[in-house]
Amino acid sequence: MKNFNPADNIQDLQYFGEFGGVNPSISDSSTYTFLSAKTMFDTFEGNMEGCYLYSRHSSPSNLYLDKALAAMEGTETANVSASGMGAITPTLLQLCGSGDHIVSSRTIYGGTYAFLKNFTPRLGIKTTFLDITKLDVVEAAITPETKVLYCETVSNPLLEVADIAGLAKIAKRHNLKLVVDNTFSPLSVSPAKLGADIVIHSLTKYINGSSDTVGGVTCASREFIDSLKNVNSGASMLLGPTMDSLRSASVMKNLRTLHIRMKQHSHNAMYLAERFEKDGLKTVYPGLKSHPSHELYSSMINHEYGFGGMMTLDVGTLEKANALMELMQAKNLGYLAVSLGFYKTLFSAPGTSTSSEIPMDEQIEMGLTDGLIRFSIGLDNDIERTYQMMKKCMMELNVLTSESILTE
């Protein structure tokens, strides 16, 4: 990791627009012409570089973004899609068929959980959900039918940390593909450099960063991405989760400031996590020494970009969580909203929102409590001011009291 800086790889990319612009021209076409029938045939067969068929397959704008995101993750190439789920679902369906088995982290994005729990069994694909932090449990769950290990670098919403290097060794031992969703930790962690085969992002979140676009990407080997886009058997090609060229160009522009934004997200989250933990609140943040995987995560990250912008606070009950979020929104501290990576802080109670697809008994088993609030910390310039305003809201609702702070 010391010799790999993803932000430098992004900075070193230079594209020239069709008319010499510093931004590449946006390809505003759904289909493309050929000067000869032979070239069209060769393109259909995948044998022509620089030729385009139809924008569901690829477009110049999407390929610019593909190249940039592959450079960021250190993979051979990438394939962008119209949403994060538009990257996750074709990737898993390309790797697995009827009779196959997936071993997955139990704490993952609710949409991914619902896909693996409720949808893929209809196709004959089974999934075992487990505590991904226990490597012995992971290895014990592997069967002859297992094809994929699936996890998130930092899990949604409990912020558990996956030992990617350890999982990669298990995957290689059993000839499996390790698929890692790196949405929470762009730039900070480079899973492919730790042994992951495939890296996925929801571009909707930090990479785009302005909450105005949904998108996804699968970063992997050229062989795998070509299989995804194959006109006869590729899951991305045939299911059609294509990113629009205008959106692709928009994400490309925002990608250039990702390194600046991630540093500020991380700085602010660390500041708040340290203060609220000191105040006596149950605070989970990978940058805190109290986090069970702090040392592991510290060994994995590029410290220049910090421990990320996501943290959780447990305020005891759903009623208190809802009241606090409503009050913080009324005080302009952020938005009661799902998603993450926006310039303003976003907060939600994941048990009733982004993880609501997970049954209540399983939420309890994994430690997803009613009073848990997930925070995507924003880009606030004066984070001490933000802390004082948040603390005032908490004291007004007796989430914090002067006695609890003093006794801490």
Side-chain angles (χ1 to χ4, degrees):
M1 294 291 289
K2 291 180 179 178
N3 298 320
F4 181 76
N5 192 316
D8 289 349
N9 287 359
I10 295 170
Q11 181 182 335
D12 289 346
L13 291 170
Q14 280 194 190
Y15 302 127
F16 294 93
E18 185 180 355
F19 304 106
V22 294
N23 290 312
S25 304
I26 299 171
S27 172
D28 196 21
S29 294
S30 60
T31 190
Y32 300 85
T33 190
F34 294 88
L35 296 180
S36 75
K38 174 69 165 58
T39 305
M40 178 182 280
F41 173 79
D42 287 341
T43 304
F44 262 101
E45 293 295 304
N47 298 325
M48 289 296 293
E49 286 286 328
C51 293
Y52 304 94
L53 288 169
Y54 182 59
S55 286
R56 176 159 57 86
H57 183 258
S58 65
S59 70
S61 296
N62 286 3
L63 289 177
Y64 285 132
L65 185 56
D66 288 344
K67 185 176 180 181
L69 293 169
M72 181 186 79
E73 286 297 349
T75 60
E76 288 180 349
T77 188
N79 183 53
V80 295
S81 58
S83 69
M85 289 302 293
I88 292 165
T89 55
T91 295
L92 293 175
L93 292 178
Q94 193 68 30
L95 292 169
C96 298
S98 181
D100 290 339
H101 175 242
I102 296 170
V103 173
S104 171
S105 171
R106 63 183 181 175
T107 53
I108 51 176
Y109 171 58
T112 311
Y113 178 90
F115 175 67
L116 293 175
K117 179 83 170 181
N118 304 326
F119 191 90
T120 55
R122 293 158 53 182
L123 306 176
I125 302 168
K126 296 179 180 179
T127 301
T128 298
F129 297 96
L130 44 70
D131 184 345
I132 205 73
T133 66
K134 298 177 179 177
L135 296 183
D136 58 335
V137 173
V138 172
E139 190 147 25
I142 295 169
T143 73
E145 289 73 40
T146 307
K147 294 293 187 291
V148 170
L149 295 184
Y150 183 88
C151 69
E152 297 171 349
T153 305
V154 181
S155 74
N156 185 358
L158 297 182
L159 308 185
E160 294 176 342
V161 175
D163 180 353
I164 295 172
L167 291 168
K169 289 176 183 175
I170 293 173
K172 285 176 173 55
R173 245 191 331 264
H174 295 273
N175 196 29
L176 311 178
K177 295 296 183 186
L178 175 59
V179 181
V180 178
D181 182 336
N182 200 36
T183 297
F184 276 24
S185 42
L187 302 185
S188 290
V189 181
S190 301
K193 297 299 179 182
L194 296 170
D197 297 289
I198 298 169
V199 183
I200 288 172
H201 284 272
S202 169
L203 301 178
T204 313
K205 314 302 194 300
Y206 284 117
I207 288 175
N208 186 55
S210 52
S211 291
D212 60 357
T213 295
V214 292
V217 67
T218 301
C219 304
S221 67
R222 183 166 298 281
E223 180 183 12
F224 181 72
I225 296 302
D226 285 349
S227 75
L228 270 182
K229 296 166 68 173
N230 185 283
V231 295
N232 295 308
S233 59
S236 285
M237 180 64 176
L238 298 176
L239 294 173
T242 309
M243 175 171 269
D244 179 77
S245 291
L246 290 168
R247 288 304 187 188
S248 194
S250 175
V251 175
M252 185 73 183
K253 291 175 182 130
N254 288 347
L255 178 65
R256 296 164 182 161
T257 62
L258 178 62
H259 61 295
I260 300 169
R261 291 184 282 110
M262 287 310 300
K263 290 175 186 179
Q264 190 69 16
H265 284 303
S266 294
H267 168 78
N268 286 353
M270 176 67 92
Y271 188 93
L272 292 176
E274 288 178 337
R275 296 299 292 268
F276 285 125
E277 183 176 59
K278 188 176 180 182
D279 288 338
L281 280 176
K282 186 178 179 182
T283 308
V284 176
Y285 180 67
L288 295 174
K289 291 182 180 178
S290 58
H291 191 287
S293 298
H294 172 74
E295 292 300 326
L296 169 66
Y297 199 53
S298 185
S299 72
M300 289 166 53
I301 66 170
N302 185 329
H303 281 265
E304 184 178 353
Y305 308 107
F307 289 86
M310 304 301 296
M311 75 172 196
T312 67
L313 297 175
D314 195 330
V315 299
T317 67
L318 181 60
E319 291 72 25
K320 280 189 175 182
N322 288 340
L324 177 59
M325 292 187 293
E326 290 170 5
L327 182 57
M328 288 190 297
Q329 180 168 257
K331 299 293 186 182
N332 298 329
L333 281 162
Y335 295 105
L336 174 50
V338 298
S339 199
L340 50 125
F342 193 43
Y343 85 100
K344 288 281 280 187
T345 294
L346 304 177
F347 31 81
S348 61
T352 54
S353 59
T354 54
S355 296
S356 59
E357 297 93 337
I358 301 174
M360 187 56 65
D361 60 330
E362 294 184 32
Q363 290 189 27
I364 293 169
E365 183 182 344
M366 67 177 62
L368 180 48
T369 57
D370 281 349
L372 192 77
I373 302 175
R374 189 192 76 175
F375 288 83
S376 167
I377 303 301
L379 300 172
D380 309 34
N381 180 58
D382 186 347
I383 195 62
E384 168 64 17
R385 172 177 176 266
T386 300
Y387 163 70
Q388 293 295 341
M389 292 173 68
M390 289 175 71
K391 186 170 74 168
K392 187 175 180 182
C393 291
M394 292 174 185
M395 295 188 75
E396 185 175 327
L397 297 171
N398 289 318
V399 170
L400 279 177
T401 63
S402 56
E403 289 80 10
S404 70
I405 294 174
L406 287 172
T407 55
E408 179 67 20

